[in-house]
Amino acid sequence: MKVGLYFGSFNPIHIAHLIIANHIVNENYVDQVWFIVSPQNPLKKTSGLLNEFQRLHLVKTAIEGDNKMRASDVEFKLPRPSFTIDTLVYLEEKNPSNHFSIIMGADSFQNLSKWKNHQLIITNYKILVYNRPGVNVINSNDENVTFLKAPLLDISATQIRNLIRQKKSIRYLVPESCRIEIEKGGYYLGASQQPA
């Protein structure tokens, strides 16, 4: 099975993530998309980061009933911070019959040279790159890199968290089931969400 690994904090997951994942499945790049919820991204600050189990729950809530999507807590069991190459090696060992691709935004692709063992990633895995507003990527000639013509949506988790803190509506930016969970749990209202 061809599996697209969509790594991210998903803090919170929103409709742009889901539309991109759906596009990748619809265009037959992969058979299934796995959302890999990262407990700690080595290139991002952890302040304002919701607990990983709550973020995983929101992803599961968002994709419930869609057999082309899966939420994964694989990085919860691995050393922190989470390095993509380590997760890839682990997943390949556990799922030898799957062929893994990496789904990433143009902004992440621009920073790929900062990733641990980035050359190994480019050499050994297909990378599916979607556009991000305001990011111009120099086209890679690498045969493993594919630039997608996915819908371009200017939505960010930061913007959603700010709206929540301002007590403004996030309706239509996240799935309705997630909006209900976020409001019920009082998520993102505090200065910092990550427990010490």
Side-chain angles (χ1 to χ4, degrees):
M1 181 166 67
K2 294 185 298 180
V3 175
L5 301 175
Y6 199 166
F7 291 86
S9 301
F10 302 112
N11 190 39
I13 190 165
H14 51 69
I15 61 156
H17 294 133
L18 298 164
I19 288 169
I20 286 158
N22 195 58
H23 173 82
I24 288 167
V25 171
N26 277 347
E27 296 299 314
N28 298 315
Y29 289 107
V30 299
D31 303 310
Q32 227 180 32
V33 171
W34 294 2
F35 290 88
I36 311 292
V37 179
S38 302
Q40 186 184 348
N41 179 329
L43 299 178
K44 286 187 179 177
K45 294 177 186 169
T46 56
S47 62
L49 193 61
L50 196 65
N51 172 285
E52 62 255 36
F53 292 99
Q54 292 167 324
R55 288 182 281 125
L56 178 71
H57 173 67
L58 289 174
V59 173
K60 286 180 176 175
T61 301
I63 62 174
E64 191 174 1
D66 189 339
N67 62 5
K68 301 279 186 181
M69 313 270 173
R70 192 171 131 187
S72 173
D73 63 356
V74 63
E75 289 193 341
F76 295 15
K77 306 161 193 145
L78 298 175
R80 298 181 192 196
S82 310
F83 292 102
T84 300
I85 189 66
D86 299 336
T87 308
L88 288 164
V89 169
Y90 178 83
L91 284 172
E92 285 195 318
E93 284 173 6
K94 298 289 180 191
N95 308 273
S97 61
N98 288 344
H99 301 282
F100 293 109
S101 303
I102 304 163
I103 300 164
M104 67 174 69
D107 50 343
S108 294
F109 184 72
Q110 275 189 328
N111 293 322
L112 196 58
S113 61
K114 297 177 184 170
W115 292 25
K116 178 182 173 184
N117 297 345
H118 73 277
Q119 203 53 54
L120 262 180
I121 294 172
I122 291 176
T123 305
N124 295 316
Y125 300 94
K126 290 197 179 305
I127 301 176
L128 305 171
V129 182
Y130 60 88
N131 287 329
R132 294 277 290 171
V135 180
N136 293 317
V137 173
I138 297 158
N139 207 332
S140 167
N141 294 321
D142 196 289
E143 62 181 27
N144 277 346
V145 179
T146 302
F147 289 89
L148 308 173
K149 290 187 169 66
L152 184 64
L153 293 167
D154 194 1
I155 298 170
S156 75
T158 304
Q159 169 193 7
I160 290 166
R161 293 193 305 272
N162 287 338
L163 287 170
I164 292 167
R165 280 195 277 276
Q166 294 163 25
K167 301 204 175 6
K168 292 183 178 176
S169 173
I170 58 166
R171 193 182 291 270
Y172 315 120
L173 295 173
V174 299
E176 184 64 4
S177 55
C178 290
R179 183 188 69 80
I180 291 165
E181 287 295 307
I182 288 167
E183 288 184 2
K184 192 168 75 179
Y187 298 161
Y188 304 112
L189 290 170
S192 175
Q193 298 292 327
Q194 189 70 39

